[in-house]
Amino acid sequence: MKSRKELIETALSLETGRDYCQLYEFASKYLSGIKHKGETENFFGTIKILMNNSNIKQNSIAVGFSGNSGSETIKKWCGYILSRNELMELCFDDLHYVMGYCARLSKIKQEGC
């Protein structure tokens, strides 16, 4: 496990623009839902499936977009998350912390604070 400082630095190094708010919130909630498994493979597998099927309306809705409006944003964010090797190296709890922190950062940007 990494220190809180290291995890916050990781979160701060990620793109947390307001367009990604729903996606980070989805990621944090998804990880909360699979906490009992304690493994990150399911999360990254789901992100890959979302990326490859971002144009499906139900997937857009599942991650917080209405209809197909977020298709390109979903695809871009998923590709970005999968390209960040430091995320794949994190243990489950650390990944959950980083996604939650990023959700808060992007929410702040979305609300213009």
Side-chain angles (χ1 to χ4, degrees):
M1 287 190 71
K2 294 190 174 204
S3 71
R4 295 241 187 231
K5 182 181 178 190
E6 290 172 306
L7 295 175
I8 291 170
E9 287 173 0
T10 299
L12 292 172
S13 75
L14 297 174
E15 173 59 47
T16 55
R18 63 188 194 147
D19 293 340
Y20 295 150
C21 185
Q22 294 100 317
L23 294 160
Y24 281 114
E25 287 177 358
F26 164 78
S28 181
K29 289 176 186 175
Y30 181 86
L31 288 165
S32 290
I34 63 168
K35 189 172 180 99
H36 66 282
K37 292 183 180 180
E39 55 187 44
T40 61
E41 292 83 16
N42 286 345
F43 172 74
F44 290 110
T46 299
I47 297 301
K48 190 171 188 176
I49 290 168
L50 278 173
M51 182 177 72
N52 294 333
N53 298 288
S54 62
N55 58 335
I56 297 174
K57 184 178 181 177
Q58 291 85 350
N59 290 342
S60 294
I61 292 169
V63 297
F65 290 93
S66 60
N68 292 330
S69 65
S71 176
E72 286 303 311
T73 303
I74 293 168
K75 190 173 191 172
K76 184 178 175 184
W77 180 81
C78 290
Y80 175 71
I81 294 298
L82 293 172
S83 73
R84 300 299 298 244
N85 290 329
E86 68 270 25
L87 295 177
M88 293 192 187
E89 295 171 0
L90 294 174
C91 72
F92 184 89
D93 290 333
D94 289 354
L95 179 63
H96 187 219
Y97 184 89
V98 168
M99 290 295 114
Y101 201 91
C102 286
R104 288 187 291 277
L105 289 173
S106 61
K107 184 73 169 177
I108 290 167
K109 290 176 183 176
Q110 184 182 50
E111 294 184 0
C113 296

